[in-house]
Structures are given as structure tokens and as C-alpha cells.
Amino acid sequence: MISSMGYVFIAARDPQQWLSYGTEVLGMMQAPGMPAGDSVYLKIDERPFRFAVVPGEEDHLLCCGLEVRDGAALDQLCKRLEEAGVAFAWGSAAEAGERCVRRFIRCSDPSGNRLEIYCGATLDYLKFVSPQGIAGFETGCNGSAGFGHAVLPASKLEETHAFYTELLGMGDTDYMNFRFSEDPADPGLGLYFLHADNPRHHSLALFECENAAGCIHLMLEVSTVDEVGYCLDRVLARDIPVTSTLGRHTNDRMLSFYMMTPGGFPLEFGCQGLQMDWSDYTPTVSATPSLWGHKFAL
Ligand SMILES: [Fe+2]
């Protein structure tokens, strides 16, 4: 039922830090169609914005915006939430206008991650011109594959997994017991990878932990290995902490590295993620996160 990971809202003590990080390091564009006030809106494709950074007391992820195909899908989803006793509230027309969507609801998953679920996203078609010369980000036709993916903390892992699969209709892609050490006795932590109704291998993953920043990482995907390399150079030139070296993931084959953001959580910057056909797919269990590389600094 969920079609993509559409946008995120991020709270920041200084949103201007995200403006310089987003434009100078990630190569995102300050959204020309959005208000330029205390908040910072960043654009990567036909959508008016993908990251909205709003002033806050702490640096953390505020919420993820999940897209559904149309109003009927949103109404059906609300009915399911009601029947399951999950609290939700409609955003006002003014708030929908600020997000450039027709209608949306707010709710939380069982681990407390805040969500907005919306339909009727506006495409402003304002040309995406990357300040770093990136030709484009991989977001599908008209941005229908979403900005990338988010990995969220899920202290109540099984309950949270059931919420996304049974109520929001996301599909299982892969499961992993993520170990931080080579110790075979390390039980690891559970990590579910879920897909939405688009070819991206996963739009959301749930990691069995608590996390003050409200986010394990966000991922953006570019079209070429060189764009990943150029970004890594920009990160190193600014002494931004690299939280994982370059590597290739097993399950989505993403070639990527991870860096720290001003939000207190990392961002994965990659390319070559798999495009899946869900009509012919069996969920997998992966024994290891990466084919090579991805040495995490913890
Ligand atoms: Fe990732």
C-alpha cells in the first residue's frame, strides 16, 4: 500500500548547517519553490522538496513522510488503522499545503517513530540543478521511487515489523542479524528490510535498538560510481566523519559509504542499488551485510 519513502522532516538547532551540508557536500539544491525562512528545504528531483529541516531544540529526525498512490488508498489505510486501534490524526489543509500534498495523516509506529502518510504529491517540475554538478539522483519516474531509504530504530522490533507489513502493506525483502564484531557468539541485532510499491530493494529498514537521533541512517542514490567518489572527496575535504568506508552491500548491491550528518545520524551515499520485480520475489535472510568494504566506525 505504501508506494515510497517520500520526504523527511529533520529538527535542527541550526538549519543553516543542513543548507551548507546538503548543497556543498551532498549536492542537493536549496528548493527554489519552497519558502526560504528559518527552515531549509532541499530538493533532488521533480518533487518540490525531499528534506525539510526545521528549527528545533535538538538535532534529530522528526518524521518520515510515506506516500500512497491516491486518496482511496489513504482512506483504506485509515480504516485499517482504526480497526487495529492505532491512533492517527489528519493534518490540516494548511499543513498539507506546506508539504505540497493533497491530504495526510500523522501517526507513530509501535517503537515511537513518527510518520506522515500522504497522497497527492505536487510535482513543481522546477529544474533540479545540483550545486555540485550531479546529473540526477535515482528517484524513479516523476520521483515515484522516493528519495531513497530510511533505517529507523525499532526497540519493539517484531511489533513494529507487523505494523509496517500488516497495516501499512509493505513487503519483506530481507532479514539480517547484524553483528558489530567477528565474534561468533555475538547474537547480533535484528534488522528487517522492507519494500514499498516501487522497484527499490528497500525503502525502509527497522533495526532492533533505541537511538536518540531517531534515525539509524538515511540513504541517497546517485547514478554513477564517480558521483559517489566525488562526494567522498567533498566529505574528506571538510573533515566530515566517515562512519563507514566504501563497500558493496550484499542484499541491495548498493556501492556506498556512510558519513555523519549535522542531524547526529549518518547518511549512506551510494549507487547501483538493485531494481526489483516484486511479482517474482521470495524474501531472503542475509548472513552478512556487505560483499566487501563497509568497515563501520562505531
Ligand atoms: Fe542503507
Side-chain angles (χ1 to χ4, degrees), residues 87-92 95 99 104-108 115-117:
F88 67 90
W90 285 96
S92 71
E95 289 171 325
R99 287 156 177 73
F104 79 101
I105 60 163
R106 289 191 172 89
C107 63
S108 293
L115 304 175
E116 295 182 356
I117 306 174

Short mmCIF file of all heavy atoms in Angstrom, two decimals, residues 87-92 95 99 104-108 115-117:
data_model
loop_
_atom_site.label_atom_id
_atom_site.label_comp_id
_atom_site.label_asym_id
_atom_site.label_seq_id
_atom_site.Cartn_x
_atom_site.Cartn_y
_atom_site.Cartn_z
N ALA A 87 -3.91 5.07 16.86
CA ALA A 87 -4.32 6.48 16.83
C ALA A 87 -3.67 7.19 15.65
O ALA A 87 -2.49 6.96 15.34
CB ALA A 87 -3.90 7.14 18.13
N PHE A 88 -4.45 8.03 14.98
CA PHE A 88 -3.89 8.88 13.94
C PHE A 88 -4.70 10.16 13.88
O PHE A 88 -5.82 10.23 14.41
CB PHE A 88 -3.88 8.17 12.57
CG PHE A 88 -5.25 7.91 11.99
CD1 PHE A 88 -5.87 8.84 11.17
CD2 PHE A 88 -5.92 6.72 12.28
CE1 PHE A 88 -7.14 8.60 10.65
CE2 PHE A 88 -7.19 6.48 11.76
CZ PHE A 88 -7.80 7.41 10.95
N ALA A 89 -4.16 11.19 13.27
CA ALA A 89 -4.85 12.48 13.16
C ALA A 89 -4.61 13.06 11.78
O ALA A 89 -3.49 12.93 11.23
CB ALA A 89 -4.33 13.44 14.23
N TRP A 90 -5.63 13.69 11.22
CA TRP A 90 -5.48 14.32 9.91
C TRP A 90 -4.70 15.63 10.05
O TRP A 90 -4.96 16.41 10.97
CB TRP A 90 -6.85 14.62 9.29
CG TRP A 90 -7.50 13.38 8.78
CD1 TRP A 90 -8.43 12.60 9.44
CD2 TRP A 90 -7.29 12.75 7.51
NE1 TRP A 90 -8.78 11.53 8.65
CE2 TRP A 90 -8.10 11.60 7.46
CE3 TRP A 90 -6.47 13.05 6.41
CZ2 TRP A 90 -8.12 10.74 6.35
CZ3 TRP A 90 -6.48 12.20 5.31
CH2 TRP A 90 -7.30 11.07 5.29
N GLY A 91 -3.78 15.88 9.15
CA GLY A 91 -3.12 17.18 9.07
C GLY A 91 -4.12 18.19 8.52
O GLY A 91 -5.05 17.82 7.80
N SER A 92 -3.94 19.45 8.86
CA SER A 92 -4.85 20.49 8.37
C SER A 92 -4.55 20.78 6.89
O SER A 92 -3.49 20.39 6.36
CB SER A 92 -4.66 21.77 9.18
OG SER A 92 -3.40 22.35 8.87
N GLU A 95 -1.38 22.68 6.61
CA GLU A 95 -0.19 21.83 6.76
C GLU A 95 0.06 20.99 5.50
O GLU A 95 1.20 20.78 5.10
CB GLU A 95 -0.34 20.91 7.98
CG GLU A 95 -0.25 21.65 9.30
CD GLU A 95 -0.63 20.76 10.47
OE1 GLU A 95 -1.54 19.91 10.33
OE2 GLU A 95 -0.04 20.94 11.54
N ARG A 99 3.37 21.00 2.83
CA ARG A 99 4.09 19.79 2.40
C ARG A 99 3.91 19.52 0.91
O ARG A 99 4.44 18.54 0.40
CB ARG A 99 3.56 18.59 3.20
CG ARG A 99 4.04 18.59 4.64
CD ARG A 99 3.11 17.81 5.54
NE ARG A 99 3.61 17.78 6.90
CZ ARG A 99 3.59 18.83 7.75
NH1 ARG A 99 3.07 19.99 7.35
NH2 ARG A 99 4.07 18.72 8.97
N PHE A 104 -2.97 14.38 4.29
CA PHE A 104 -2.05 13.48 5.01
C PHE A 104 -2.54 13.23 6.43
O PHE A 104 -3.32 14.02 6.98
CB PHE A 104 -0.63 14.04 5.02
CG PHE A 104 -0.36 15.14 6.02
CD1 PHE A 104 0.29 14.88 7.22
CD2 PHE A 104 -0.77 16.45 5.77
CE1 PHE A 104 0.55 15.89 8.14
CE2 PHE A 104 -0.51 17.47 6.69
CZ PHE A 104 0.15 17.19 7.87
N ILE A 105 -2.09 12.12 7.00
CA ILE A 105 -2.34 11.82 8.41
C ILE A 105 -1.01 11.71 9.13
O ILE A 105 0.04 11.52 8.51
CB ILE A 105 -3.11 10.48 8.60
CG1 ILE A 105 -2.32 9.29 8.02
CG2 ILE A 105 -4.50 10.57 7.98
CD1 ILE A 105 -2.79 7.94 8.52
N ARG A 106 -1.11 11.85 10.47
CA ARG A 106 0.06 11.65 11.33
C ARG A 106 -0.20 10.43 12.22
O ARG A 106 -1.31 10.28 12.73
CB ARG A 106 0.21 12.83 12.29
CG ARG A 106 0.66 14.11 11.67
CD ARG A 106 1.02 15.09 12.81
NE ARG A 106 1.63 16.28 12.24
CZ ARG A 106 0.93 17.34 11.86
NH1 ARG A 106 -0.39 17.37 11.98
NH2 ARG A 106 1.55 18.38 11.35
N CYS A 107 0.81 9.62 12.41
CA CYS A 107 0.71 8.54 13.40
C CYS A 107 2.12 8.15 13.81
O CYS A 107 3.09 8.74 13.34
CB CYS A 107 -0.05 7.33 12.83
SG CYS A 107 0.74 6.55 11.42
N SER A 108 2.21 7.19 14.72
CA SER A 108 3.53 6.69 15.16
C SER A 108 3.53 5.18 15.04
O SER A 108 2.48 4.55 15.22
CB SER A 108 3.79 7.07 16.62
OG SER A 108 3.93 8.45 16.75
N LEU A 115 5.40 9.28 11.88
CA LEU A 115 5.16 9.14 10.44
C LEU A 115 4.11 10.14 9.97
O LEU A 115 3.23 10.53 10.74
CB LEU A 115 4.61 7.74 10.13
CG LEU A 115 5.45 6.54 10.58
CD1 LEU A 115 4.68 5.26 10.29
CD2 LEU A 115 6.80 6.54 9.88
N GLU A 116 4.24 10.52 8.70
CA GLU A 116 3.16 11.19 8.00
C GLU A 116 2.87 10.32 6.78
O GLU A 116 3.81 9.85 6.13
CB GLU A 116 3.56 12.60 7.58
CG GLU A 116 3.81 13.50 8.79
CD GLU A 116 4.17 14.94 8.45
OE1 GLU A 116 4.30 15.27 7.26
OE2 GLU A 116 4.33 15.73 9.39
N ILE A 117 1.61 10.07 6.51
CA ILE A 117 1.25 9.25 5.35
C ILE A 117 0.35 10.11 4.47
O ILE A 117 -0.64 10.68 4.96
CB ILE A 117 0.56 7.95 5.78
CG1 ILE A 117 1.44 7.21 6.80
CG2 ILE A 117 0.29 7.07 4.55
CD1 ILE A 117 0.80 5.97 7.41
#
